[in-house]
Amino acid sequence: MRFDRVIRGGHVVTPGGAFTGDVGIIGEKIAALGAGLDTDNADVVDATGHHVIPGVLDVHVHLELPFCGTVSADDYRTGTRAGARGGVTTVIDFAIPSATGSLSEAADTWMKKAEGKSLIDYTFHICITRYNEHKDQIADMVKRGFTTFKEFMIYESEGWQSDDRALFGTLEKMKEHGAMLLVHAESSRVLDELIARHHTPALMKEHGAVLHAITRPNFIEAEAIQRVVQWSEATGGQLYIVHMSTAEGADIVTAAQARGVPVLAETCVQYLVLDDSVFAGVDGHLFACCPQLKKPADSERLWRGLKRGEVCVISTDTCTFTREQKAMWEGDWTKIPMGLPGLETLLPLTYTKGVLEGRLTLDEMSRKLSTNPARIMGLAPRKGAIQVGADADIAIIHPTRTHKVVPSEMETNADWSPYAGWDLAGFARTTLSRGDVIVDDYKVVGNPGRGQWLPRTTAGLAGARA
Ligand code: URP
Ligand code: ZN
Ligand code: ZN
């Protein structure tokens, strides 16, 4: 067989196990796996001494999002370049309706943000922010190729908050349409009460950004997860908890899965590698994200959940704000634009802290970053695995070579990084997206706008652990 491109001699991670050999690519697709593939007239990418892994899917990003009185600083141009440098070949963003807009308009708005700019493939979760109006639009959105929806249990001031009736009704609709509901689970009323109790000049002077952690104890997340899991159990609707950050949340999900509740849970890499001690540091306010960074014991529980299967996906919740944007806080933690940059460091952090430090095997990492997100979000078998017939979305990483995280040298628009100064292995030496080399020798070489929207017909795993 003749190939357009052959990735030669790497340690190739596939669903059937790893082997040392070649990946043959014809056009946009993987056409063959094996040893000694024909390289006549083919472009050869030497992967000797490197891991060849499936391109990463970051299924939780917010690019150019109007939020917290500003707009997140990475758009589809910078955000997807940052992703590519970290081996990310697909992103899923959240299309959020305007104050009066429909679900369809939200999708159109996010399509426009991505078109002409995205380096890699993309799609969107559709956010239901006004259940009464939006509930009857779900069926048409599924027909249009969107099979994942999102509701927020907080963010009343943004106009995004859903109540129990909305969660319950939307989960019923998910069951009806074979779709999946993603939920940001935090308990809004108690959270608001804790914020109000602490929102005094004296406490703000005393604690500064540490108030973000003080007002978000673990039960804020745990109670909300418990409640929405109950609605999933009652309706049979497929539920996916986004950015789970607590040990208690992981315990609730584990117990629910054991009872057969169709609930899946994602965590984000920042909850695995950072903890809330950062808020007491210089520039602690920069680290404010939502839900909050928790304790080392929570991180350990989440790593264990990844290993055992109750936590099935690692994402980033990329929502980048610059130092200038974060300075809007002026000493009041409730005014900090909440979110962290992340796309560029997802794979390096997971590889360095997960694989090299013995918490996950390489195969487990690829399942959490690629295979599971693709299956759960309805993008398999096209995405998420190195197998014949799949898109040739591939990251080639050196097993040990590290790069220091230096914000000024990164692709993201962030002028700071939660990981500045960290030495991380796992940056992509080469990234391929649908057969094109978009990162070569650690530098982005692909063109903006080549990324494509990915229509879907399915979502969820009906309660399976992954
Ligand atoms: O701090 C965060 N996570 N900002 C983005 C919005 C969200 O809740 O995911
Ligand atoms: Zn959220
Ligand atoms: Zn988010």
Side-chain angles (χ1 to χ4, degrees):
M1 200 187 293
R2 291 290 170 96
F3 302 102
D4 296 321
R5 186 162 273 149
V6 174
I7 301 172
R8 191 169 60 188
H11 175 248
V12 185
V13 175
T14 79
F19 71 97
T20 298
D22 308 337
V23 181
I25 297 166
I26 300 178
E28 300 188 341
K29 302 284 182 189
I30 296 171
L33 302 173
L37 294 185
D38 184 354
T39 56
D40 278 1
N41 295 324
D43 175 62
V44 175
V45 178
D46 184 17
T48 312
H50 287 72
H51 298 309
V52 179
I53 61 175
V56 170
L57 289 85
D58 188 348
V59 299
H60 189 151
V61 305
H62 303 277
L63 300 174
E64 209 185 329
L65 173 69
F67 185 47
C68 296
T70 181
V71 179
S72 66
D74 274 313
D75 65 4
Y76 272 83
R77 191 181 299 269
T78 61
T80 59
R81 282 176 67 91
R85 184 170 174 250
V88 176
T89 50
T90 301
V91 285
I92 311 188
D93 199 336
F94 293 81
I96 306 182
S98 64
T100 53
S102 66
L103 300 184
S104 189
E105 279 169 359
D108 293 343
T109 302
W110 256 259
M111 287 283 197
K112 286 197 193 88
K113 289 180 201 261
E115 278 164 10
K117 286 188 181 173
S118 193
L119 173 60
I120 58 179
D121 293 348
Y122 57 87
T123 186
F124 317 112
H125 312 290
I126 305 298
C127 297
I128 294 166
T129 50
R130 294 188 312 284
Y131 174 70
N132 285 346
E133 285 166 58
H134 292 157
K135 64 180 185 330
D136 296 328
Q137 301 168 11
I138 291 172
D140 282 344
M141 295 310 290
V142 173
K143 281 196 205 116
R144 199 178 149 180
F146 296 101
T147 53
T148 51
F149 296 82
K150 166 85 177 283
E151 286 179 341
F152 299 91
M153 294 173 79
I154 63 164
Y155 298 142
E156 187 175 19
S157 60
E158 301 282 352
W160 297 350
Q161 189 172 328
S162 290
D163 62 12
D164 286 335
R165 176 173 164 268
L167 292 161
F168 185 86
T170 307
L171 281 161
E172 286 180 322
K173 295 259 178 208
M174 298 298 103
K175 174 126 175 107
E176 186 185 334
H177 297 292
M180 180 167 76
L181 180 63
L182 287 69
V183 172
H184 175 137
E186 288 189 291
S187 198
S188 67
R189 301 299 294 272
V190 178
L191 173 59
D192 288 346
E193 171 64 13
L194 294 183
I195 289 173
R197 284 185 197 174
H198 291 83
H199 201 240
T200 69
L203 286 174
M204 287 197 274
K205 191 156 182 257
E206 186 182 345
H207 297 293
V210 178
L211 281 171
H212 206 12
I214 292 172
T215 53
R216 276 187 147 85
N218 284 21
F219 59 74
I220 292 294
E221 179 177 273
E223 186 279 334
I225 291 179
Q226 184 72 66
R227 189 151 33 99
V228 71
V229 160
Q230 185 76 64
W231 304 146
S232 170
E233 186 161 21
T235 59
Q238 176 72 59
L239 171 66
Y240 177 100
I241 305 292
V242 296
H243 52 43
M244 190 168 70
S245 63
T246 57
E248 288 85 342
D251 290 345
I252 292 164
V253 167
T254 307
Q257 289 176 342
R259 302 198 295 279
V261 181
V263 57
L264 298 162
E266 149 202 286
T267 192
C268 301
V269 72
Q270 58 268 30
Y271 302 115
L272 298 168
V273 304
L274 296 173
D275 64 68
D276 64 4
S277 61
V278 294
F279 296 114
V282 182
D283 287 342
H285 68 288
L286 294 177
F287 291 80
C289 59
C290 187
Q292 210 31 267
L293 300 170
K294 302 296 193 303
K295 305 283 182 209
D298 295 293
S299 306
E300 284 313 312
R301 176 66 183 87
L302 293 168
W303 279 117
R304 205 163 65 245
L306 286 163
K307 188 88 188 163
R308 297 194 324 195
E310 60 262 26
V311 187
C312 55
V313 170
I314 311 174
S315 68
T316 63
D317 196 6
T318 292
C319 193
T320 304
F321 296 106
T322 62
R323 282 178 176 274
E324 189 183 351
Q325 289 175 301
K326 290 273 184 181
M328 287 165 62
W329 87 302
E330 294 179 324
D332 178 345
W333 90 101
T334 65
K335 295 189 183 143
I336 309 173
M338 285 181 291
L340 302 176
L343 269 157
E344 203 155 351
T345 43
L346 170 60
L347 171 59
L349 286 165
T350 310
Y351 181 71
T352 305
K353 300 291 176 186
V355 177
L356 294 185
E357 295 189 9
R359 295 183 176 97
L360 295 177
T361 65
L362 186 64
D363 173 62
E364 286 165 343
M365 180 190 79
S366 279
R367 276 191 277 137
K368 306 298 172 179
L369 292 179
S370 305
T371 318
N372 288 350
R375 287 171 64 207
I376 291 165
M377 298 302 167
L379 290 169
R382 181 172 172 189
K383 302 290 188 188
I386 297 182
Q387 58 193 1
V388 172
D391 281 359
D393 287 4
I394 291 171
I396 303 177
I397 62 171
H398 191 276
T400 55
R401 181 172 171 192
T402 61
H403 287 77
K404 195 175 287 299
V405 176
V406 179
S408 61
E409 293 171 7
M410 295 174 84
E411 294 292 341
T412 168
N413 264 340
D415 51 358
W416 71 285
S417 168
Y419 318 105
W422 293 26
D423 290 306
L424 299 177
F427 283 101
R429 189 211 68 184
T430 311
T431 304
L432 291 98
S433 163
R434 282 183 281 102
D436 287 347
V437 173
I438 59 168
V439 170
D440 184 26
D441 195 19
Y442 299 99
K443 288 181 205 65
V444 178
V445 295
N447 292 325
R450 60 164 301 289
Q452 292 178 356
W453 172 63
L454 299 166
R456 297 171 287 158
T457 55
T458 62
L461 280 182
R465 287 174 173 221

